[in-house]
Amino acid sequence: MCSIVNFNMNGVVKTFPVVYGTLHEKAINISTLREQTGYITLDPGFKNTGIAKSSISFVDGERGILLYRGYPIEQIIQKCTFLETSYLLLNGELPNDNQLDHFSEMINQCNLNNNTKILQICKNYPINSHPMGILSSLSCILEFMQEENNNNYIHLLATLPILAALIYRTKNGLFPVKYDNNLCYTSNILNMFFAKKTNNYQQNPIIVDALDKLLILHADHEQNCSTTTVRLLSSAHVSIYASISAGISALWGRLHGGANQAVIEMLENILQNGGNIHKWIEKAKNKKDPFRLMGFGHRIYKNFDPRAIIIKQVAENIINKLKFNNPILKLAKELEEVAIHDSYFIEKKLYPNIDFYSGIIYKAIGIPKDMFTVMFALGRLPGWIAHWKEMRLNNEPLVRPRQIYVGYRKRNIV
Ligand code: CMC
C-alpha cells in the first residue's frame, strides 16, 4: 500500500498523502492542493469527495454491503431492535441488558406528556402544511422546551416520535395520545398514531416487527444528503436540534427520503391512467421527459441495495399475513420486473432502492402518504445524531467548500 501519490502537474511533481480506511477504501488527502498548486478540485454532487473519516456505517455499493459499526445489516435486522440499533450507532457498541434498560428508562423520562405548549403550536400550522415542514420546525424549537439536565440525544430520540404522532393526529382532527411508558419504543409510535378514544391501539406483533425493521433499515447510511447536511451544521457548531431540523428538511427532497411518498404517488398515477407500465418505463427513459422512475437508482449502490432486498421480504410478509389486498403492490412488482430486465436500467445500473417498497409497508400499516418521509426521519434520527456527535468529537473543521466563479467580471454601476 503506497502512502503517497505523486501528481505531475505541468512538469512539476507534487506529492499528496494517501489515507486508507479499515475496509480498503482509499483517498488522496488534497488539503494542501491549493497551497501547493493554486488549483482546487471541482466535484459536483461530491461524487468523489470524502467529507471526513467516520466509523459509524460502511457501504460498499458494488457488492451491496451495509455495516452499522461493523455489523452487517442482515444480522442487525435479525437480532436487534431499533432501540438497540440506536444505542449501537450512538455509542459504538451494542448495549448489555442493564445498559438497554437504562437507555429505555431515560427515553421514558422525556415523554413530553405534560407539555401543552407543543400541542398548541402544532395546532397553529396552516392546514395544508406538509408534515415534514412541521417536523423540521418543531424539532428546531424543541431545544427551548427541554428540561434541565436532559441528555439532548436521548431527548431527541424520545420526542421526535411524539411530535410525528402529534402532527398526524392534529392534521386529522384527532385528540393527542400520550406516550405510554409501559410500551416499547416502536409500539409507542403505533399507539400514539392509532389509539382510539377509549382504548389503546391493539398491538399486532407483525406490524410492530415490520415497523421496527423499517426503522432499523433507515437508521444510518453514511454520507447521504441529509446526514451530510447535519454534519455541515455540526461543523459550524450549530445545536443538535437545529442540525436535525436541517437534516429533516434535506430528507424531504424527492431525490432523497421524499422518494417514498413519490413512489406511491407514481404508482397511483400509473393505476389511474390505465396501468400501462411500458408507457411509464418509456417516459423514464426519454431524456426529453423529466419523469424518473421513483424508487429506482442510487448514487452508491450499483448492483443491488441490500436494504431493498430485506424490505421487499418485509413487505411481502406483512401483506400476506395481514391479507392486505392492494393493487399497488401488484403493480409495484410488475413494474420492478419490467424495469430490471430493461436494457436502459441494466446499463445504467438502476435497481429498486429502499424507497420502492417502504411506502407499501407504511400503507399496509395505515400511515398516510404525507407521513411516509416523517417515518423515514424517525428511523434516520440515531444516524444523524451519531454523525453530529462524531463531527464534534473529532474536532472536524468548519465545512466551507470553494467554487469556480463564472459570473460577471468586476463592473461598475452606471
Ligand atoms: N429513472 C430513470 N433514469 C434514471 C433514474 C431513474 N430513477 N435514476 C437515474 N437515472 C439515469 C439518469 O437520467 C442518468 O442518465 P444519463 O447518464 O443518460 O444522463 C443516469 O441514470 C445517472 O443518473 P444520475 O442522476 O446522474 O445518478 P445519481 O447517482 O446522481 O442519482 C438518484 C441517484 C437516486 C438521485 C437517481 O437514481 C434518482 O433520481 N432516482 C429516483 C429518486 C429516488 O428513488 N431516490 C431515492 C434514493 S434511495 C433513498 C435515499 O438515499 O434517500
Side-chain angles (χ1 to χ4, degrees), residues 6-78:
N6 292 319
F7 286 151
N8 186 331
M9 301 190 76
N10 302 330
V12 183
V13 174
K14 299 287 178 190
T15 302
F16 298 94
V18 176
V19 178
Y20 291 95
T22 31
L23 285 164
H24 316 298
E25 296 277 287
K26 46 187 188 292
I28 302 162
N29 181 340
I30 49 125
S31 51
T32 60
L33 180 68
R34 188 166 179 274
E35 198 183 306
Q36 286 198 59
T37 67
Y39 287 89
I40 62 164
T41 54
L42 187 63
D43 185 20
F46 295 161
K47 292 189 179 188
N48 304 282
T49 299
I51 187 175
K53 292 182 196 166
S54 179
S55 54
I56 302 167
S57 60
F58 171 80
V59 178
D60 180 333
E62 278 73 33
R63 292 191 294 158
I65 294 173
L66 169 60
L67 309 177
Y68 290 170
R69 300 277 189 194
Y71 297 114
I73 188 67
E74 293 80 5
Q75 288 183 28
I76 302 249
I77 211 80
Q78 290 296 331

Side-chain angles (χ1 to χ4, degrees), residues 250-279:
L251 186 74
W252 192 359
R254 286 165 69 87
L255 296 189
H256 190 13
N260 58 13
Q261 180 177 343
V263 168
I264 293 289
E265 284 169 353
M266 172 188 79
L267 293 172
E268 286 173 350
N269 201 3
I270 297 176
L271 266 186
Q272 277 159 18
N273 286 285
N276 183 346
I277 288 170
H278 295 277
K279 190 182 106 189

Side-chain angles (χ1 to χ4, degrees), residues 154-173:
I154 302 277
H155 185 236
L156 270 160
L157 270 180
T159 49
L160 217 66
I162 300 174
L163 296 183
L166 263 183
I167 294 167
Y168 162 71
R169 295 191 74 103
T170 315
K171 273 185 90 68
N172 290 283

Side-chain angles (χ1 to χ4, degrees), residues 291-314:
F291 174 76
R292 278 187 171 198
L293 210 55
M294 299 314 285
F296 267 77
H298 197 277
R299 171 66 61 79
I300 307 286
Y301 292 122
K302 298 300 174 195
N303 273 324
F304 63 94
D305 179 342
R307 302 166 306 167
I309 292 180
I310 301 171
I311 219 165
K312 191 177 172 188
Q313 288 162 358
V314 175

